Amino acid sequence: MSANELTLDDLAEWLRRFATIIDENKRYLTDLDSAIGDADHGANMARGTAAVVTTLDQANSIDALLKKTGMTLVSTVGGTAGPLYGTMFMKMGMATGQVMTLTPEEFGKALRAGIEGLIARGKTELEDKTMIDALLPAIDAFDAAIDEGASLHDAVESAQEASAAGRDATIPMVARKGRASYLGERSAGHLDPGAASATYLWDALTDVVKA
């Protein structure tokens, strides 16, 4: 990886690292989900991301990698997380084209397309206490940093920080979407598990760009 691009191999490594972090934290994610959901987010995400890892060597372009990732997540992750994460990666793939590298600007454009697809699929917005609360501030921070001339490394770190802040901001929120919304006011005081897993995308990418 150069300082100014992400290659197919970099993105494959991003997804491998994401799967590893999910597996390392699957019990934590399930504990979060047990408080306000179905107590299966960690197990579901671990199963889905492990399945993704088995497909990574099959892709010969970035769009193929991302689309296959999305389709695999849809078919292997239970609950609402599969369709949402799957939609995000498929929309990312549709936004890239058959290329082998992405500039930071191109990556940001693709990820924003993915997040917008996820929002449309889930009919959710900021402060609904969902993964959007971690994803949208992160891509905003990433794009702002790139626009200001930051390096890829620094832009990813800015996004990582914004994602973590967005995740933590879900604690006092009352859920307006998903299983947690059934709890009403009782959903306040708990960290959203989807927002927690979404931050791992940026933790994984930070590891890749540092390496």
Side-chain angles (χ1 to χ4, degrees), residues 6-209:
L6 287 162
T7 67
L8 174 63
D9 288 344
D10 294 330
L11 294 178
E13 185 58 31
W14 173 43
L15 295 169
R16 286 191 187 92
R17 182 62 188 144
F18 179 53
T20 297
I21 297 173
I22 289 287
D23 187 65
E24 291 170 347
N25 291 277
K26 61 186 176 184
R27 180 168 293 182
Y28 169 66
L29 292 174
T30 292
D31 287 346
L32 292 178
D33 200 32
S34 68
I36 57 175
D38 292 332
D40 59 2
H41 188 61
N44 285 347
M45 288 298 296
R47 180 174 61 252
T49 53
V52 166
V53 169
T54 68
T55 72
L56 296 178
D57 292 335
Q58 302 170 17
N60 56 11
S61 64
I62 287 175
D63 68 319
L65 177 81
L66 296 171
K67 289 175 184 176
K68 182 64 174 178
T69 293
M71 289 186 289
T72 302
L73 291 173
V74 168
S75 64
T76 59
V77 178
T80 58
L84 294 176
Y85 270 108
T87 295
M88 183 180 76
F89 280 106
M90 284 189 280
K91 292 291 187 180
M92 283 185 71
M94 292 168 64
T96 64
Q98 295 180 339
V99 296
M100 298 295 290
T101 63
L102 294 175
T103 65
E105 291 84 359
E106 290 167 342
F107 177 77
K109 181 180 178 181
L111 186 51
R112 186 171 292 278
I115 293 169
E116 289 174 352
L118 189 161
I119 290 171
R121 179 72 181 264
K123 297 180 174 58
T124 187
E125 60 186 358
L126 280 175
E127 299 186 6
D128 278 347
K129 198 182 180 91
T130 71
M131 58 200 296
I132 292 301
D133 291 302
L135 290 172
L136 203 53
I139 190 59
D140 286 346
F142 180 86
D143 286 347
I146 293 299
D147 288 345
E148 292 169 4
S151 66
L152 175 62
H153 176 277
D154 289 347
V156 169
E157 285 202 333
S158 293
Q160 181 188 33
E161 293 171 4
S163 185
R167 172 201 64 202
D168 295 345
T170 66
I171 294 173
M173 293 177 185
V174 174
R176 300 187 297 211
K177 291 288 182 180
R179 180 65 178 251
S181 65
Y182 301 163
L183 298 176
E185 296 289 336
R186 287 180 296 155
S187 64
H190 299 281
L191 189 72
D192 181 70
S197 65
T199 61
Y200 297 149
L201 285 167
W202 291 102
D203 292 343
L205 190 58
T206 299
D207 289 345
V208 172
V209 298

